[in-house]
Amino acid sequence: MDIDPQYWVRVLLLNDVKNCTLHISSAFSIDNVDPNLQTQVQLAGLDRLENPINIRLIDNEITISGRTFPNKEIIISPDEPYVFNLNGRNYRGKLKLITSPDGSSFDAMNIVPIESYLAGVAGAEMPDYWEPEAVKAQVIAARTYCLYTKKRFGSNRNWDVGKTAAHQVYLGVSAESAAIWNAVNQTTGMVLTCKQNDGTEDIFPAYYSSTCGGHTENSKNVFGESFEPLTGVPCSYCKDVAKPKFFFWPMAQFDKPEVTNKLFQRYEKLKQLDDITDISVAGESNCGDFSRLTMIELLGSNGNKEFLRAEDFRLAIDSTGRKIKSACFQLVDLDDSWAFLSGRGWGHGVGMCQCGAEGMAREGKTARQILSHYYPGSKILTIKY
Ligand SMILES: [Zn+2]
């Protein structure tokens, strides 16, 4: 718990809520951050809780156990073993609550040392019984991604990363195990770096996804960012690791009005098409024996055209990504519906292929070899906390 504040991570646990349930099995304090001194001022010290308590907004103020706190921000800090339970899930570190500007809701953030955060990510992102070298590669990629995202976006918002696959899945203490902690401890401080546009060596967004399907994708086609290690490489390793139904996924089918509605809901600019009369492929990456779509053209009933990245297109139609698992598919017009055929791979395909990492590790490759395959041109640097 005594690492430099820049290596604590703020994870958004609850967004825009009016109440939550808290349980802490140790004594804890409720603090306020003095905006002038940037130090914590204790508002209350409480004994361990016998039962979960409700935190709710009453008259736009946070109320904990019947006591109201008029502060916009409060920090709840458990004593050893530094664990709290929010809505039934255990997390390490501290809990920060921030009320919205109009006081109608609040956000809940977990303020957690990065290594504890990574244990809660690695065990959620990868099975802990996978090869230790694959899990170590996962931890190093996750550490790099987190620190990059924190640096790039954290200063403009109250949190650094979310807890879902939109960033990295974080499940707190329940994701931890001895194998996961071994991988975290054996890679402490290790991050990936590459040459930046200005010539310096620094961290980059080390994306990763479940199953690339045989070839990873250039980040420029998916996220719009260019980094040398994120240019796309062949992967012969995931096919034997991924479940067959995830490597080759079954046809998905969506009614045309549903597709149009979902696209219009997600992207305001598409409404100028009036109605979508045709959808076609405007860009694709050649992956050898298959293609990954990169750009989709939408034709409107009024003759206007709009373009969407294929990854954005599929997630607008199927936000969970459970049916249209990747942008590797053939789009077929079935008159009343759109069919997504010949699908392969699961996820955006940029950076490390998680199943491929496991495949490489089973062949005896080290975490370092796995990372240099999926992030070509990257280096490993160890940060001293
Ligand atoms: Zn792969």
Side-chain angles (χ1 to χ4, degrees), residues 211-214 235 237-238 353 356 374:
T211 307
C212 75
C235 169
Y237 305 100
C238 53
C353 170
Y374 289 109

Side-chain angles (χ1 to χ4, degrees), residues 192-237:
L192 295 159
T193 65
C194 73
K195 210 164 233 57
Q196 312 284 309
N197 289 335
D198 64 3
T200 59
E201 189 80 17
D202 205 351
I203 54 174
F204 59 94
Y207 297 108
Y208 53 88
S209 67
S210 169
T211 307
C212 75
H215 201 290
T216 67
E217 183 54 66
N218 190 323
S219 68
K220 192 169 176 26
N221 296 328
V222 176
F223 301 111
E225 304 158 297
S226 292
F227 291 91
E228 187 197 340
L230 301 175
T231 45
V233 295
C235 169
S236 58
Y237 305 100

Side-chain angles (χ1 to χ4, degrees), residues 94-367:
K94 303 176 184 184
L95 174 65
K96 188 175 192 178
L97 305 173
I98 302 183
T99 56
S100 61
D102 67 356
S104 66
S105 66
F106 64 91
D107 291 347
M109 268 71 67
N110 182 193
I111 317 288
V112 55
I114 187 163
E115 301 298 304
S116 297
Y117 163 75
L118 289 169
V121 168
E125 285 283 355
M126 196 173 259
D128 69 348
Y129 53 82
W130 275 13
E131 291 291 329
E133 291 301 312
V135 182
K136 282 161 69 178
Q138 171 67 71
V139 172
I140 295 169
R143 187 183 289 107
T144 309
Y145 176 85
C146 170
L147 288 174
Y148 179 87
T149 306
K150 176 182 166 76
K151 187 176 80 166
R152 172 99 190 266
F153 302 104
S155 56
N156 297 322
R157 59 192 184 200
N158 292 323
W159 46 278
D160 300 314
V161 285
K163 62 168 181 176
T164 69
H167 289 102
Q168 312 190 96
V169 181
Y170 172 61
L171 294 175
V173 177
S174 68
E176 299 175 7
S177 68
I180 292 296
W181 269 112
N182 280 342
V184 172
N185 291 332
Q186 286 168 17
T187 64
T188 303
M190 286 185 197
V191 291
L192 295 159
T193 65
C194 73
K195 210 164 233 57
Q196 312 284 309
N197 289 335
D198 64 3
T200 59
E201 189 80 17
D202 205 351
I203 54 174
F204 59 94
Y207 297 108
Y208 53 88
S209 67
S210 169
T211 307
C212 75
H215 201 290
T216 67
E217 183 54 66
N218 190 323
S219 68
K220 192 169 176 26
N221 296 328
V222 176
F223 301 111
E225 304 158 297
S226 292
F227 291 91
E228 187 197 340
L230 301 175
T231 45
V233 295
C235 169
S236 58
Y237 305 100
C238 53
K239 195 169 182 188
D240 295 333
V241 174
K243 292 197 173 91
K245 67 178 177 185
F246 294 137
F247 193 87
F248 293 114
W249 41 270
M251 181 182 81
Q253 202 174 332
F254 290 84
D255 289 343
K256 283 188 174 175
E258 185 186 357
V259 168
T260 302
N261 282 341
K262 285 185 166 167
L263 289 169
F264 282 9
Q265 267 172 27
R266 182 79 182 79
Y267 295 101
E268 189 71 24
K269 67 169 185 176
L270 300 182
K271 289 182 179 167
Q272 61 132 338
L273 298 174
D274 288 346
D275 191 12
I276 296 174
T277 55
D278 194 22
I279 303 176
S280 55
V281 177
E284 56 194 317
S285 291
N286 180 354
C287 299
D289 57 345
F290 71 102
S291 303
R292 187 186 305 270
L293 308 192
T294 55
M295 193 60 75
I296 297 290
E297 181 182 314
L298 306 161
L299 180 65
S301 53
N302 53 14
N304 288 340
K305 280 181 190 172
E306 282 289 345
F307 293 87
L308 276 185
R309 282 191 195 127
E311 187 68 10
D312 297 336
F313 170 77
R314 81 164 171 105
L315 290 173
I317 297 166
D318 176 23
S319 62
T320 64
R322 288 197 186 112
K323 289 180 179 164
I324 312 172
K325 289 185 164 54
S326 74
C328 304
F329 55 76
Q330 286 173 347
L331 188 62
V332 177
D333 185 341
L334 295 181
D335 291 336
D336 294 335
S337 63
W338 290 104
F340 298 78
L341 296 173
S342 310
R344 62 193 278 168
W346 191 10
H348 54 65
V350 177
M352 187 179 80
C353 170
Q354 290 168 301
C355 284
E358 169 67 357
M360 287 186 75
R362 286 181 192 173
E363 290 185 9
K365 301 288 195 296
T366 65

